[in-house]
Amino acid sequence: MRFGILGPLDVRAPDGTPLDPGGPRPRALLTLLLLEAGRTVPAERLIDGLYGEAPPAGAANALQSQVSRLRKRLSLDIGATPAGYRLAVGPDDVDVHRFERLAAEGGQALTAGDPARASALLHEALGLWRGPALADLPAAFGSRLEEVRLTAAQTRIEAELALGSGAGLVPELRDLIAAHPLSERLYGQLMRALHAGGRPAEALAVYEEVRRVLTDELGADPSAELSALHLELLRGREPARGRGVPAQLTRFVGRTDELSRIGALLAGSRLVTLTGPGGAGKTRLAAEAARDRPGVCWAEIAPLADGEQLPYALLAALGVREGFRGPQGDPVGRLIDALQEREVLLVLDNCEHVVDDAARTAGLLLGACPGLRILATSREALGITGEALCPVPPLAAGPAARLFMDRAAAVRPDADLHARVEAVHGICEALDGLPLAIELAAARLRTLTVDELAARLDDRFRLLSRGDRTKAPRHRTLRAVVEWSWELLEEEERELARRMAVFSGGSSGGATLAAVEAVCGVPYPEDLLASLTEKSFLEAADGRYRMLQTIRAFCAERLAGEGEVSRLRDAHAAYFRALAAEAEPHLRGGGQLPWLAGLWAERDDLSAALRHLVRTDARAGLRLMADLSWFWRLRGLHGEHVPVARELLAALGDEPPEGMAEEYVLCVINTVAGDGNDPAEPARLARAEAVLARLDHALRRPFMIVLWSVAHGPQHAVRERLRRQVGEAPWGLALLDVGLGFQEFFAGRPDASEELFARALDGFRATGDRWGMANCLDPLGMFADWRGERERALALLDEGLTHVAALEAPEETADLLHRRAHVLLHQDQLQDAADHFTRSAAMARAAAVPDKVASAWRGLGDVARAGGDAERARAHYEAALELCAANWFSVGETVRTLIGLGRVALAVSGTEEARDWFGQARALCDGPARALELADVAEAFASVADDPREAAVLLGAGAGLRGLALAGDRDTAPVAARAREALSPETYEKAFEEGRAMRSAAVSDR
């Protein structure tokens, strides 16, 4: 099938027969799906496109119905995903994607110096338009495409001007200017077309026209580029078209923000320098920025052996030749004579090795030539007055991946890299987003698969050792690029640079000045750090210094060659061990946020220090792990440290070192992955329980009680031990109330539990600890919801969310979002509840807590069931079951999920299947520790009871086990209403109280 959306929606069968999608809504829906042909479109975006800012209640269900009808009407393959919907069509089957491809190829052809091919491609692209784009959607949706259409038209005109066209373009340009009266590029093209057509006076009149328009509309003068074109025409010269810019052989990807910034800087400054590390793409960016500017002169500085040759290189670039009798006077003076009356953009590419001479020459030229602007590229700034710097950072993730796939397509056009986009992102991240490294890596796909390439990146300098033979040797391979920068450093700069390779240099943000001084053994390193930063060997931000991984790998080789690795790693570990020990007590009070932020910034180096100590000094490693354990819990980092905890425990053996029982138990806790897949885990926990039971004093790290409860399950019958272990500090006493509150909660005594949580909340408020307050507000919000006090519940949970947002704690955020979702579900706000469950699942997944992802999926099942969508509810419940691990927490989730499946079965197929599901849930409720789950099971069986009195007994049993009946529960309320209708009030109440008095064992036997 073929689809057209560059105009009114047009759908054609393979034989060309037009097909009717239906009314306005189906047409709009299909247009939105076609815009992302072959990719998933989020449901929220589709709803916004169909209904605007005020979607109706049940918009998600309405969207599902619209998709279903569209599938059937046109026999389209529209797949549903957890995120939205995907229309399975190829990009070339949709006119807008063909247009964008052809327009890009046309622009690439013009850049490569082939205006004839560019003109043909752009004519074909523009010929696809049949009217305003996306005519079946609100006008705002088509605005971006209209801008792309204008750019394509301007590029096509540029190509035809290069081919010598002139007068024939004038009517079209006049029409375009009427539609876009503030486009200076169009006015410049009109001036050039008139000049080429032999109408120079009209060309000059256009400049006066645009000057009036800009003054009247914007209060601004024409740009420097347009003024330079006007001056060229006044002097009767052929307008310059950037002939000095090297033709590019590949498509330019990304860097939109940097191009805009360069344009703005050149408008306000006469010297702009692009700075950045080797391989960042400074030269290509400069070429792209200069390409469409008039009067460009490109000077390649890298081949020069020394700065004395610079003026002669500039004279050659300007086309100034020697006379018959040889050189005539001072070369700088001749440069000034050549430039003094010209409007020129002089590009000085690769100045770093002659930076002093480049700065001196640039200063002289700018001072003597008022029409001169200079765009320089260098790994360090020229450092003269008036210079505007534009740092060129590595590519962001999206453009980096696009660059990789674009270059890979040239060597492996058969490779479907869109299916391996995560692997591509991983490769680009490992290569620091450096365009040169990415291009070299993509070229290796001639002989390697994506997985093989990724696996070899540890040896990146050998892997990326084959580059473009047309480039200068220092730009041909990754090693050559970095080595070129290394050779420009002073010896003391090299010493500090190689020592800084001991820092991780990861995503957490580099080393502080204090860390550099302590670890590298260089007193007062400020000046050296500043120099390395200026030379693009380091990145500096917010008081931290970071190396790109590529530069760090090079420096690590140099460090190994000097034999300093062991000493520096010991110093590195000692510094970060001291930092963690200092931070640990501050994480449980009002000043926790800056300490958390500080540890977060150092997390990669803290992990590196821990790995080093585990292998060299197990006692020191054990102490560091203990000091970091609460930080890991708050920031959701526990899962990634399970392997190193197991390695440390293996080194320690079955008994803790002398005086380190607490640290030993924390190490055991850190070995628990929570997935139930480790058969040795119960034995380890039993061993740790024995060690913990011997601790009959206040713990130095009372947070261990929390972590132990999470790993081992709720602690019962250990109240006295808890009292001794928390000590008398306010934080510990508040934590004790939390522990006791949960014990009362699991025992079915909600009033006593709520009182304890309220007292704990006051205690944590006194300490200022946000984690403690949030973990009290969560159950307090639950109790309010149980009583039907929904607004109070939301207020309590919102306060908790404020605290965990400040902490950036993903697991606690997932918990509170989940709780809030249930309150919204009880208020029949189904879409908002679903959004909350979805966000909760995402946060839990980020924290690597699959049980809580399962809990969120179960919640989505409850929402779907409440909305009458049994099929979707069942799918969500089944997904939740697959994620439930074999641990104490997941048992409760599994029970409630099985009950959900039973309630779906009850609505669809009847009581027999429902009883089977409920029976499976009941089988998991073994012992008094499962009283709350058994309460839910009892109420579930009440819904399938044949005898109304039996239903009342089971409802009473649920209330008794929980400690209260849930107010306004959508599942139990109809069952109670039917039983009350069938029984007298006295009989119902008697049966209900009979059930309330039952013990867990009696309920399990029914």
Side-chain angles (χ1 to χ4, degrees):
M1 296 176 70
R2 305 287 280 183
F3 303 90
I5 56 177
L6 295 177
L9 178 63
D10 182 46
V11 183
R12 301 276 170 167
D15 63 0
T17 305
L19 302 175
D20 181 14
R25 284 253 159 79
R27 297 174 70 86
L29 174 59
L30 182 54
T31 301
L32 290 165
L33 292 169
L34 289 167
L35 270 173
E36 300 290 339
R39 295 191 293 266
T40 297
V41 186
E44 294 80 1
R45 190 187 306 170
L46 294 172
I47 290 170
D48 287 344
L50 292 176
Y51 302 107
E53 295 181 358
N61 289 334
L63 171 62
Q64 187 180 16
S65 299
Q66 293 276 9
V67 168
S68 179
R69 286 196 291 272
L70 196 57
R71 280 192 195 109
K72 294 175 182 176
R73 188 178 186 103
L74 296 179
S75 299
L76 294 174
D77 182 3
I78 306 175
T81 73
Y85 296 91
R86 173 183 176 274
L87 175 60
V89 297
D92 263 10
D93 293 330
V94 187
D95 60 359
V96 67
H97 302 299
R98 291 204 307 281
F99 162 73
E100 290 187 322
R101 176 178 59 78
L102 290 166
E105 290 174 0
Q108 183 178 350
L110 184 60
T111 301
D114 189 351
R117 183 167 182 269
S119 175
L121 287 166
L122 290 161
H123 266 294
E124 183 181 353
L126 293 163
L128 295 170
W129 286 70
R130 296 170 290 103
L134 314 183
D136 294 276
L137 295 175
F141 279 84
S143 57
R144 184 193 71 83
L145 284 172
E146 293 293 347
E147 292 174 6
V148 178
R149 180 186 191 181
L150 174 62
T151 299
Q154 291 171 320
T155 306
R156 196 211 83 234
I157 290 168
E158 198 72 40
E160 294 184 4
L161 284 169
L163 292 169
S165 297
L169 296 171
V170 171
E172 179 184 3
L173 282 164
R174 285 290 187 193
D175 290 342
L176 287 170
I177 287 172
H180 307 279
L182 299 179
S183 171
E184 289 190 69
R185 185 181 182 189
L186 289 173
Y187 283 108
Q189 289 179 328
L190 178 58
M191 292 166 67
R192 289 163 58 193
L194 289 166
H195 181 88
R199 298 150 68 178
E202 291 181 57
L204 294 172
V206 169
Y207 180 78
E208 297 303 320
E209 176 188 341
V210 66
R211 190 166 60 80
R212 285 194 303 272
V213 169
L214 293 174
T215 300
D216 293 345
E217 296 294 329
L218 302 177
D221 293 325
S223 67
E225 290 76 23
L226 203 61
S227 298
L229 174 60
H230 178 235
L231 186 60
E232 293 285 321
L233 295 178
L234 276 174
R235 292 171 174 169
R237 298 175 181 172
E238 184 69 19
R241 297 190 184 114
R243 288 184 294 258
V245 178
Q248 304 300 316
L249 303 180
T250 55
R251 189 166 67 95
F252 185 69
V253 177
R255 300 294 194 198
T256 303
D257 291 343
E258 286 87 349
L259 280 174
S260 298
R261 177 165 167 72
I262 294 169
L265 290 174
L266 283 172
S269 176
R270 294 177 57 217
L271 171 60
V272 176
T273 304
L274 310 186
T275 61
K282 300 182 294 296
T283 296
R284 182 62 191 270
L285 181 58
E288 202 66 23
R291 180 169 57 86
D292 290 331
R293 293 176 177 271
V296 175
C297 174
W298 186 280
E300 172 55 64
I301 310 302
L304 304 185
D306 57 63
E308 292 182 3
Q309 298 177 320
L310 179 62
Y312 299 102
L314 297 184
L315 286 169
L318 286 163
V320 179
R321 301 287 182 258
E322 303 286 2
F324 179 74
R325 289 172 295 179
Q328 303 292 313
D330 173 39
V332 175
R334 294 168 60 213
L335 277 173
I336 292 173
D337 290 340
L339 291 168
Q340 201 159 28
E341 295 184 2
R342 292 179 62 181
E343 299 282 338
V344 173
L345 174 63
L346 179 60
V347 181
L348 306 179
D349 188 34
N350 292 309
C351 298
E352 53 273 349
H353 62 306
V354 292
V355 66
D356 292 336
D357 294 280
R360 187 163 44 252
T361 303
L364 290 170
L365 295 178
L366 289 168
C369 307
L372 174 66
R373 276 178 163 72
I374 294 178
L375 176 63
T377 74
S378 177
R379 299 182 195 187
E380 62 177 301
L382 301 190
I384 63 178
T385 302
E387 180 182 28
L389 296 180
C390 181
V392 181
L395 285 170
R402 290 199 298 275
L403 176 65
F404 183 92
M405 289 191 279
D406 181 84
R407 301 306 190 253
V411 298
R412 284 284 299 275
D414 59 325
D416 181 14
L417 294 182
H418 292 284
R420 303 302 317 283
V421 68
E422 289 189 14
V424 169
H425 277 295
I427 291 169
C428 295
E429 182 180 1
L431 295 173
D432 301 305
L434 288 176
L436 172 66
I438 290 169
E439 291 184 337
L440 291 171
R444 293 309 299 263
L445 290 185
R446 289 187 182 95
T447 55
L448 298 176
T449 67
V450 171
D451 291 334
E452 289 169 339
L453 177 62
R456 286 165 168 76
L457 286 180
D458 286 344
D459 192 7
R460 65 189 65 196
F461 293 117
R462 184 190 62 80
L463 178 68
L464 308 181
S465 60
R466 298 175 64 184
D468 187 342
R469 294 188 180 91
T470 66
K471 291 186 177 180
R474 62 177 59 94
H475 292 153
R476 197 171 292 171
T477 70
L478 191 61
R479 180 183 293 280
V481 167
V482 182
E483 207 153 41
W484 169 243
S485 293
W486 179 262
E487 294 300 327
L488 298 175
L489 300 180
E490 302 292 336
E491 181 53 41
E492 58 184 356
E493 293 171 339
R494 293 180 192 173
E495 178 183 65
L496 179 57
R498 68 172 177 261
R499 290 181 180 179
M500 284 194 67
V502 76
F503 294 100
S504 72
S507 58
S508 58
T512 63
L513 176 62
V516 173
E517 186 170 12
V519 174
C520 296
V522 178
Y524 310 109
E526 296 92 333
D527 290 343
L528 288 175
L529 289 169
S531 180
L532 288 169
T533 302
E534 289 167 1
K535 294 178 179 180
S536 300
F537 230 76
L538 295 176
E539 295 177 337
D542 300 323
R544 306 182 68 82
Y545 299 89
R546 175 179 176 266
M547 277 182 172
L548 296 178
Q549 290 288 20
T550 297
I551 294 176
R552 179 175 173 268
F554 182 90
C555 291
E557 289 181 357
R558 295 299 188 273
L559 183 66
E562 295 292 328
E564 296 182 304
V565 175
S566 179
R567 178 180 62 81
L568 282 166
R569 283 183 177 167
D570 287 344
H572 175 273
Y575 174 83
F576 285 102
R577 196 182 80 190
L579 176 67
E582 182 184 5
E584 188 275 319
H586 295 283
L587 301 181
R588 303 190 298 277
Q592 63 195 166
L593 294 185
W595 286 97
L596 274 171
L599 291 179
W600 180 257
E602 307 287 10
R603 65 191 183 277
D604 288 334
D605 279 295
L606 288 164
S607 295
L610 178 61
R611 290 192 298 271
H612 175 67
L613 291 174
V614 166
R615 292 164 176 80
T616 60
D617 185 348
R619 286 181 64 94
L622 188 60
R623 189 168 288 111
L624 176 56
M625 178 173 287
D627 287 332
L628 291 175
S629 294
W630 190 237
F631 163 65
W632 291 343
R633 162 71 191 189
L634 291 177
R635 284 298 174 87
L637 299 173
H638 163 78
E640 64 188 68
H641 295 97
V642 168
V644 74
R646 291 178 177 173
E647 183 181 350
L648 178 57
L649 192 63
L652 293 168
D654 292 345
E655 290 295 326
E658 182 67 29
M660 301 187 73
E662 284 185 41
E663 291 83 353
Y664 184 84
V665 173
L666 281 166
C667 182
V668 172
I669 292 170
N670 284 315
T671 67
V672 176
D675 55 14
N677 294 327
D678 182 3
E681 187 175 289
R684 285 201 304 270
L685 289 172
R687 214 163 54 233
E689 166 64 26
V691 173
L692 187 60
R694 296 197 296 266
L695 297 177
D696 200 30
H697 56 265
L699 301 176
R700 297 187 306 278
R701 299 177 179 86
F703 63 79
M704 184 172 70
I705 295 170
V706 180
L707 301 185
W708 181 252
S709 296
V710 171
H712 190 258
Q715 298 187 58
H716 298 279
V718 290
R719 290 193 180 202
E720 292 308 313
R721 190 177 90 190
L722 283 174
R723 290 182 193 279
R724 292 190 296 272
Q725 290 180 345
V726 300
E728 297 300 323
W731 194 90
L733 292 173
L735 181 63
L736 176 61
D737 281 337
V738 169
L740 298 176
F742 274 115
Q743 290 189 18
E744 296 293 334
F745 169 65
F746 290 123
R749 294 188 286 269
D751 291 342
S753 177
E754 187 170 18
E755 183 179 341
L756 284 161
F757 280 117
R759 191 168 75 187
L761 177 61
D762 291 339
F764 282 124
R765 285 197 199 282
T767 69
D769 179 43
R770 294 164 181 81
W771 174 88
M773 288 187 274
N775 276 273
C776 294
L777 290 160
D778 186 348
L780 290 172
M782 177 191 66
F783 290 132
D785 183 37
W786 281 7
R787 290 193 299 270
E789 300 170 6
R790 314 294 188 211
E791 295 306 318
R792 171 172 165 73
L794 291 175
L796 291 166
L797 297 172
D798 286 345
E799 182 187 346
L801 281 166
T802 300
H803 295 316
V804 294
L807 291 171
E808 300 179 48
E811 188 170 347
E812 281 73 14
T813 303
D815 290 340
L816 286 157
L817 287 170
H818 185 272
R819 187 78 66 198
R820 199 176 195 279
H822 276 295
V823 180
L824 294 169
L825 178 58
H826 297 154
Q827 291 181 319
D828 290 326
Q829 298 182 42
L830 301 187
Q831 187 58 54
D832 287 344
D835 290 344
H836 276 60
F837 282 127
T838 302
R839 289 167 56 201
S840 175
M843 298 298 291
R845 192 176 295 111
V849 192
D851 302 321
K852 296 188 178 183
V853 179
S855 184
W857 279 106
R858 176 177 61 82
L860 288 168
D862 292 342
V863 171
R865 186 163 56 82
D869 190 341
E871 181 180 350
R872 179 165 288 193
R874 183 182 289 112
H876 286 317
Y877 289 139
E878 289 172 351
L881 278 181
E882 290 179 8
L883 287 170
C884 285
N887 57 37
W888 71 269
F889 179 83
S890 270
V891 172
E893 279 308 310
T894 303
V895 167
R896 294 181 177 92
T897 304
L898 292 170
I899 290 172
L901 285 166
R903 294 194 184 281
V904 170
L906 182 61
V908 174
S909 56
T911 59
E912 197 58 37
E913 184 184 350
R915 283 196 181 97
D916 180 59
W917 287 113
F918 297 156
Q920 292 181 52
R922 179 171 57 190
L924 295 174
C925 298
D926 51 346
R930 295 296 170 190
L932 291 177
E933 287 84 1
L934 193 56
D936 293 337
V937 170
E939 290 168 345
F941 270 110
S943 66
V944 293
D946 296 326
D947 179 5
R949 187 181 184 283
E950 176 71 5
V953 170
L954 289 167
L955 291 173
L961 291 166
R962 189 183 296 108
L964 55 77
L966 301 178
D969 182 71
R970 67 172 64 248
D971 291 317
T972 57
V975 179
R978 289 196 300 272
R980 287 181 182 277
E981 185 177 349
L983 303 171
S984 67
E986 296 80 6
T987 304
Y988 179 87
E989 292 301 330
K990 184 177 179 180
F992 190 87
E993 290 304 319
E994 178 186 330
R996 188 194 288 272
M998 282 183 178
R999 301 179 66 83
S1000 299
V1003 175
S1004 296
D1005 291 338
R1006 291 185 74 92

